[in-house]
């Protein structure tokens, strides 16, 4: 599947001003990238793979080549958490904390991927919520619906990062699968930056399931007082 850049504009937010870039795949699905301190290298790139390091170096000027390693967050869409402040997950606090951290750093990006509910879609996500209300964990709820535990893909990350000439990152994530994907596709993950925020009594078991059954790198014990609304 190929991805192409469509358009960009300025986006003022309560965290600061970002550049917002829209990408589209050949099925018409839109993905979003928010950037700070990362000028575009090539707006005409429509490939689904990174350019060679030589190409990137030829396109960058001296100022770009000396910039710090950018702070990057790959964030999958979560309407309930990002927009409605759901306490069932930690997605909203993760997004806002990452946006704030990138503004503070002055060089980074949010790759906002349109794959709701770990890729199963909003309707199935709410069906899974109903099963969780009956006592099933987040993984088993998906499986009971005949769906994968995690259907997300990250093949759009390469073209998005290539668009801003990035081939080395400090990655904000607790998910080793994201580190592995970028590494396998030529992106050097210089540092993994943990992100444990928004923990509360409503989502502690959800996070424990991600840790114990899905391999996320989280503390053995959650201190809800420490992390709540952080």
């Amino acid at each position: 599947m190929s991805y192409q850049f469509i358009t960009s504009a300025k986006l003022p937010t309560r965290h600061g001003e970002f550049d917002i870039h829209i990408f589209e795949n050949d099925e018409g699905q839109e993905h979003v990238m928010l950037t700070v301190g990362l000028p575009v290298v090539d707006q005409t790139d429509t490939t689904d793979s990174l350019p060679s390091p030589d190409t990137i170096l030829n396109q960058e000027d001296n100022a770009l080549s000396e910039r710090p390693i950018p702070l990057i967050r790959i964030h999958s869409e979560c309407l309930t958490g990002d927009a409605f402040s759901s306490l069932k997950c930690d997605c909203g606090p993760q997004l806002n904390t990452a946006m704030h951290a990138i503004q503070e750093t002055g060089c980074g990006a949010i790759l906002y991927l349109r794959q709701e509910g770990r890729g199963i879609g909003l309707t199935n996500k709410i069906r899974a919520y109903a099963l969780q209300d009956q006592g099933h964990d987040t993984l088993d709820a998906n499986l009971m619906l005949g769906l994968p535990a995690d259907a997300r893909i990250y093949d759009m990350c390469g073209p998005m990062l290539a668009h801003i000439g990035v081939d080395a990152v400090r990655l904000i994530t607790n998910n080793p699968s994201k580190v592995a994907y970028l590494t396998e596709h030529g992106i050097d993950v210089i540092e993994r930056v943990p992100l444990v925020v928004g923990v509360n009594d409503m989502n502690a078991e959800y996070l424990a399931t991600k840790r114990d059954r899905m391999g996320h790198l989280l503390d053995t014990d959650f201190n809800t007082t420490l992390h709540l609304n952080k």
Side-chain angles (χ1 to χ4, degrees):
M1 186 177 294
S2 63
Y3 297 84
Q4 63 178 335
F5 167 75
I6 302 299
T7 189
S8 64
K10 298 294 183 182
L11 183 70
T13 76
R14 65 186 178 91
H15 301 290
E17 185 175 87
F18 291 86
D19 292 314
I20 182 168
H21 312 264
I22 304 300
F23 296 79
E24 187 175 286
N25 63 23
D26 48 20
E27 295 180 349
Q29 187 179 37
E30 298 166 322
H31 301 281
V32 179
M33 180 169 64
L34 303 180
T35 64
V36 173
L38 292 167
V40 167
V41 168
D42 182 7
Q43 293 190 359
T44 64
D45 179 64
T46 60
T47 65
D48 57 1
S49 61
L50 288 170
S52 69
D54 288 342
T55 300
I56 292 176
L57 289 175
N58 289 336
Q59 291 173 329
E60 291 178 336
D61 59 22
N62 290 334
L64 287 179
S65 66
E66 295 174 359
R67 71 188 179 196
I69 301 298
L71 194 59
I72 303 295
R73 167 71 181 167
I74 299 172
H75 189 93
S76 295
E77 179 181 34
C78 176
L79 178 68
T80 50
D82 298 341
F84 300 147
S85 302
S86 169
L87 296 179
K88 281 181 174 283
C89 66
D90 56 341
C91 301
Q94 283 190 323
L95 177 60
N96 282 283
T97 300
M99 290 175 68
H100 178 76
I102 287 168
Q103 282 288 342
E104 287 286 299
T105 301
C107 182
I110 304 284
L111 278 57
Y112 194 87
L113 310 182
R114 307 299 297 276
Q115 42 190 6
E116 177 74 51
R118 298 201 301 272
I120 65 173
L122 182 60
T123 297
N124 283 327
K125 174 181 175 179
I126 302 308
R127 287 174 174 150
Y129 271 10
L131 291 172
Q132 291 172 44
D133 291 342
Q134 298 172 22
H136 304 285
D137 70 27
T138 181
L139 190 154
D140 284 337
N142 280 27
L143 298 179
M144 291 171 69
L145 292 170
L147 301 168
D150 192 339
R152 289 176 294 182
I153 58 173
Y154 301 107
D155 56 0
M156 65 285 288
C157 295
M160 295 169 90
L161 292 174
H163 186 68
I164 49 176
V166 169
D167 62 356
V169 303
R170 298 170 57 224
L171 188 64
I172 306 174
T173 189
N174 304 318
N175 186 350
S177 295
K178 294 179 181 178
V179 176
Y181 183 88
L182 292 187
T183 300
E184 291 168 3
H185 288 80
I187 304 296
D188 191 3
V189 180
I190 302 298
E191 178 187 5
R192 183 187 71 84
V193 180
L195 184 60
V196 183
V197 293
V199 180
N200 63 78
D201 291 339
M202 298 293 295
N203 66 24
E205 290 188 8
Y206 158 85
L207 293 173
T209 297
K210 291 210 295 185
R211 177 196 63 203
D212 298 338
R213 302 189 64 192
M214 303 178 73
H216 288 221
L217 303 174
L218 297 165
D219 295 337
T220 302
D221 298 309
F222 298 114
N223 185 329
T224 57
T225 301
L226 174 64
H227 295 299
L228 182 61
N229 295 325
K230 183 174 178 182

